[in-house]
Amino acid sequence: MMRLLVTAKGEGRTVESADAVALIGRGAECSVHIDDEAASHKHCRIEQGADGSFTVSDLGSRNGTRLNGDAIKTQALKVGDVILIGTTTIAVQALGSAEHPSTAPTEPLKPPPPEVLHPIRLDFLAGPNKGQSFAVTRKLTRIGRRRRDNDLALVETGISNRHAEIRCGADGFEIADVGSRNGTFVNNQRVTRSPIKPGDRIQLGRCLLEVRAMDATTEPTAQIPKPSPLELAPIEAEEPGTADVALDESGAALDEAEGGGEPVSPASRRRVVLLSTAIILAAVFFTGAYVVRAILKRSTGPTPSPTEPTEKPKEPAAPGKGGQPAETPKADTASPTGKGADAGGHEKAIAKAADPAAAAREQLQTALDALRRAEIAGEPEAFDAAERALTAAKAPLKGTAHEGDLSQALARLPVARQAAADRRLNAEAAALLAAAKQHSDRKEPHIARLHCRELLARFPASAAAAEAKAMLQALDAPPPIPKEK
């Protein structure tokens, strides 16, 4: 029998075990569970030999195991020794058989936290796990996206790898955010640490959960699957002393986003930079073309409509005496009261009558330009601006020859808006499918499944949905049985 005092973050707890082997680490199957970032899934092991002596052995952890300050591989263990893993200390208080426990003096212990008398359950009201429920019966329940590190794994890209924790203390249950990217919300309020009770609603990414009390006769409708041995295998293959850094196929180090995001390789970062540069250059090009067009249009004046004659045809002069055409009387420009003044006033009246038609044509051209820009950009804001411009041109163009052109533009607006929205959805679906293929090629099937499921949940009618469904079936299919020679 062994008795260990585990101290982490200023809090201590006593762990007693009558087994001959005690496994220490972050994994759920460890008999001595520690919550330390420096600890591996299976970090070290305390084992009793045939002669009754105890030894502690490092299991190939990332950051190593220290005994009384010295790094070890395998070392004999005695009462009073202290095992150090990251910032967590494990003091050996008693070693021996259950019939003859050690009588070594022990340090005063803090009382353990109370047992969970009234467990709760989390009902999923929205998100990929809608309709399921999860029973919270442990003192510490980790919530995140990666199965191997969490008790409740949520298949949703808005969830960080380590998102939040539900803890049980003397005052009941509370939820704590552990540095997620998108935050943790309780009753529509973002919190870092908050008590929870039946009736509260928790928002994690697109997952909405409701806290409900659970008695002894209530069973959860579904259990979130635990990690499979295949997902835990890569952690066991780590060599001691190696850094906790992911590598891509070329051996280059990958950065991981703060809060548990997906690793980003230098090649992906270069692609993002190139894409951003291309978008900026395209925006500059289209803006310059629009400015040049506006300058040319202002310098040459409004283009006359083909349906309206630009110049009134001259009427032939009436024949005069002797069959010769009569001379056109010249306007008297010198006298403001003569016939010349009447002709000038008539020309001014014609110009004033033509001004509203020219203004209407210019307003129609401006609205059509806004519609073309919206079709090129494909953004909802651009379509809203085009709709406002077309609506404003209705009154000036009513009853004119351009009213039909305006009606055609108004009919084309919703079609172009829907086509742009479909292009955006197909582009997002294609990006998710490309990411799934990339992770599948990297031998990361669990991340490829996440992208495929999100694609099917968000874009079930897209062109990439069928290929994502086929890829998901291929990933879930059992490996082929090798044929015997």
Side-chain angles (χ1 to χ4, degrees), residues 20 101 193 269 326 379 412 470 472:
R193 187 173 179 178
R269 190 179 292 111
E379 297 296 334
R412 195 176 71 189
L472 189 60

Side-chain angles (χ1 to χ4, degrees), residues 80-438:
D81 288 344
V82 177
I83 302 171
L84 179 62
I85 300 175
T87 58
T88 303
T89 60
I90 302 175
V92 181
Q93 293 186 336
L95 293 173
S97 61
E99 293 79 5
H100 302 285
S102 174
T103 58
T106 60
E107 299 178 3
L109 305 178
K110 295 182 180 180
E115 297 293 333
V116 180
L117 300 179
H118 301 287
I120 60 174
R121 77 172 190 264
L122 305 176
D123 289 353
F124 288 82
L125 305 181
N129 302 101
K130 182 179 179 180
Q132 299 182 357
S133 62
F134 181 80
V136 181
T137 57
R138 302 178 58 181
K139 297 177 182 177
L140 178 63
T141 301
R142 297 174 180 82
I143 304 175
R145 188 172 59 185
R146 197 158 50 190
R147 291 184 179 180
R148 65 191 182 199
D149 294 333
N150 299 283
D151 305 300
L152 176 56
L154 302 179
V155 184
E156 206 273 297
T157 54
I159 304 295
S160 300
N161 285 342
R162 298 189 185 98
H163 198 103
E165 293 179 352
I166 295 180
R167 304 164 183 168
C168 177
D171 298 329
F173 288 93
E174 68 175 9
I175 188 168
D177 189 274
V178 291
S180 63
R181 288 175 300 177
N182 300 317
T184 301
F185 296 82
V186 177
N187 297 327
N188 297 326
Q189 297 292 329
R190 185 164 185 166
V191 299
T192 303
R193 187 173 179 178
S194 172
I196 56 176
K197 60 185 181 301
D200 290 342
R201 292 195 172 187
I202 303 171
Q203 183 81 37
L204 305 174
R206 288 193 292 270
C207 296
L208 179 62
L209 304 89
E210 184 174 357
V211 182
R212 295 183 181 177
M214 186 178 70
D215 53 21
T217 60
T218 306
E219 293 292 337
T221 58
Q223 291 291 339
I224 307 302
K226 297 298 290 182
S228 63
L230 292 177
E231 292 176 320
L232 298 177
I235 299 299
E236 302 304 322
E238 294 173 345
E239 293 296 331
T242 58
D244 190 11
V245 179
L247 302 177
D248 60 7
E249 293 87 353
S250 61
L254 302 178
D255 297 331
E256 187 164 339
E258 183 179 358
E262 292 296 328
V264 181
S265 66
S268 301
R269 190 179 292 111
R270 286 194 296 271
R271 286 195 294 271
V272 171
V273 172
L274 291 176
L275 181 60
S276 304
T277 305
I279 293 174
I280 294 173
L281 292 177
V284 171
F285 172 77
F286 285 111
T287 304
Y290 176 74
V291 171
V292 171
R293 182 177 178 181
I295 292 174
L296 292 177
K297 181 178 177 181
R298 183 176 298 178
S299 61
T300 57
T303 304
S305 173
T307 59
E308 295 183 3
T310 58
E311 186 175 348
K312 188 175 182 179
K314 295 182 179 180
E315 296 180 358
K321 293 181 179 181
Q324 299 295 329
E327 293 183 0
T328 305
K330 295 183 180 180
D332 187 5
T333 57
S335 174
T337 60
K339 294 182 179 180
D342 295 339
H346 182 64
E347 291 178 358
K348 291 181 180 179
I350 294 175
K352 289 182 179 179
D355 282 342
R361 287 197 302 272
E362 186 174 358
Q363 190 168 6
L364 174 63
Q365 188 63 37
T366 302
L368 293 178
D369 290 342
L371 179 58
R372 292 191 193 98
R373 288 196 300 272
E375 290 175 340
I376 294 173
E379 297 296 334
E381 295 80 4
F383 281 107
D384 294 339
E387 185 176 3
R388 289 193 296 270
L390 291 172
T391 305
K394 278 185 178 181
L397 295 178
K398 186 175 182 180
T400 65
H402 304 290
E403 187 175 6
D405 298 336
L406 180 63
S407 300
Q408 293 178 1
L410 286 171
R412 195 176 71 189
L413 177 64
V415 177
R417 188 193 294 268
Q418 184 61 38
D422 293 340
R423 287 197 300 272
R424 287 196 303 272
L425 293 180
N426 289 331
E428 293 182 20
L432 286 174
L433 182 61
K437 289 181 179 179
Q438 183 179 11

